[in-house]
Amino acid sequence: MKILILGGFLGSGKTTVLLQLAEELVREGAGSSDVPVMIIENEIGEVGIDDKVLKNRGLQVKELFAGCACCTSGGSLIEDVHTIARDVRPTWLIIEATGVAYPKEIRNNLVNNCNEPVKIIAIADAARWQRLWNAMSQLLLAQLDGADIVLINKCDLAEPKVADDIATLIQTFNSAAEIRKISAASRLDGEVWSAILG
Ligand SMILES: Nc1nc2c(ncn2[C@@H]2O[C@H](COP(=O)(O)OP(=O)(O)OP(=O)(O)O)[C@@H](O)[C@H]2O)c(=O)[nH]1
Ligand SMILES: [Mg+2]
């Protein structure tokens, strides 16, 4: 079971990416008897996953609404991950972090408590980057810290130069991260999936 943590500031596009990613994984896993993907949402209530949308397209996605999988204590998250690993063992487990979580801490919790590979996909919001940067640069950077992939999202709403500058800044901060400029509102191309899943 491979674990992906989807992190990034409130409203950056985590759920939008997640929906496309889940569909992609289901498509890839078609024909296999394994459950291709399970999803843990950090928040109950305003969850954007529309199970019916996916199922109406003939896709099977199991969902688990884990409630508050707090990134600092991590207790209920770890329990849920253990349960999923034991009872379902999907090929992929995707965890959408809350918009104020630190994905690196979630990964540390998982790595210390579960024996599964964990990757962080962090999403940056190109449309609101400058405004957020002016108000809370530390939080933005902390949310990108340790990310394996950074998706600079909403590039349809930003000047190309703005997206390039964000990419440069993030690469300086996190030199190991693979960075992709995307617009999750449109269909993402195969290269982005290869970067995430490869
Ligand atoms: N124009 C544009 N809008 C986008 C894009 N990606 C996401 N959005 C919109 O941005 C809003 C927030 O997207 P979500 O996917 O819900 O963001 P989130 O990070 O899951 O939000 P929280 O879970 O509340 O933190 C929604 O209205 C999306 O439709 C994009 O690439 N371009
Ligand atoms: Mg969301």
Side-chain angles (χ1 to χ4, degrees):
M1 183 173 88
K2 292 179 260 191
I3 302 178
L4 293 177
I5 301 169
L6 264 181
F9 192 71
L10 289 164
S12 56
K14 297 178 292 296
T15 302
T16 309
V17 169
L18 173 61
L19 285 168
Q20 286 206 45
L21 181 56
E23 282 193 50
E24 174 67 20
L25 293 173
V26 169
R27 215 177 297 129
E28 273 195 359
S32 158
S33 56
D34 295 337
V35 173
V37 56
M38 279 193 78
I39 293 159
I40 293 180
E41 279 283 338
N42 244 184
E43 286 152 316
I44 287 182
E46 43 151 332
V47 169
I49 302 293
D50 193 340
D51 176 21
K52 289 190 197 68
V53 170
L54 291 167
K55 288 196 175 130
N56 285 346
R57 295 184 206 165
L59 303 168
Q60 291 212 335
V61 176
K62 295 211 171 218
E63 294 169 32
L64 179 106
F65 299 99
C68 180
C70 169
C71 60
T72 48
S73 77
S76 81
L77 176 66
I78 300 300
E79 265 174 48
D80 286 333
V81 170
H82 280 307
T83 306
I84 290 170
R86 189 190 60 222
D87 296 349
V88 186
R89 279 213 86 70
T91 311
W92 295 90
L93 173 63
I94 309 176
I95 300 168
E96 179 179 340
T98 71
V100 292
Y102 298 113
K104 195 176 166 187
E105 292 190 21
I106 301 177
R107 180 170 61 195
N108 288 345
N109 275 322
L110 289 167
V111 167
N112 291 335
N113 293 288
C114 316
N115 200 13
E116 315 283 349
V118 185
K119 219 164 153 176
I120 297 175
I121 318 296
I123 304 186
D125 185 334
R128 293 184 302 157
W129 179 266
Q130 195 58 52
R131 201 148 30 100
L132 295 173
W133 182 261
N134 293 340
M136 49 188 125
S137 57
Q138 294 303 317
L139 174 62
L140 286 194
L141 287 181
Q143 291 189 318
L144 300 170
D145 192 16
D148 300 286
I149 312 272
V150 176
L151 302 175
I152 299 175
N153 189 33
K154 306 193 191 175
C155 286
D156 56 310
L157 299 177
E159 294 295 331
K161 162 106 175 58
V162 171
D164 288 344
D165 288 349
I166 297 169
T168 305
L169 187 150
I170 292 173
Q171 195 77 80
T172 308
F173 171 73
N174 180 346
S175 59
E178 278 196 58
I179 299 180
R180 295 290 184 280
K181 288 169 254 177
I182 65 164
S183 175
S186 317
R187 186 142 293 281
L188 298 179
D189 65 34
E191 198 283 324
V192 174
W193 300 133
S194 310
I196 293 174
L197 304 174

